[in-house]
Amino acid sequence: STPHELWIATSNSVSGVPYSDEFTVESKWRLSAETETSTRLEIWVEMAWGPHPPMEITRLMIEKSSLGG
């Protein structure tokens, strides 16, 4: 990280998921100064399933809605 950079890390756990135990969505946000009047925002997101991942169709629906918006 530089004086013109800000990193933010988040972790959100969701439990009681149908056909599964839980999942966690982790994200890292990086804001960096481009010029005096503009800022670049970069976001990385990752999902991790609990010990009992759901059926494939349920997993895909949850991942699409969690990571897509």
Side-chain angles (χ1 to χ4, degrees):
S1 196
T2 69
H4 303 288
E5 210 175 61
L6 173 65
W7 283 86
I8 301 169
T10 66
S11 179
N12 298 297
S13 293
V14 179
S15 60
V17 179
Y19 311 109
S20 180
D21 286 337
E22 66 181 74
F23 66 90
T24 302
V25 178
E26 297 180 350
S27 65
K28 292 182 181 176
W29 299 48
R30 177 183 174 213
L31 292 99
S32 54
E34 292 285 298
T35 67
E36 288 280 327
T37 58
S38 68
T39 302
R40 175 186 299 259
L41 171 62
E42 298 172 89
I43 303 172
W44 295 268
V45 179
E46 183 177 1
M47 280 189 81
W49 289 97
H52 304 287
M55 295 181 306
E56 184 72 10
I57 188 124
T58 305
R59 182 183 65 78
L60 292 173
M61 287 174 21
I62 292 170
E63 287 179 357
K64 182 179 180 184
S65 64
S66 296
L67 300 176

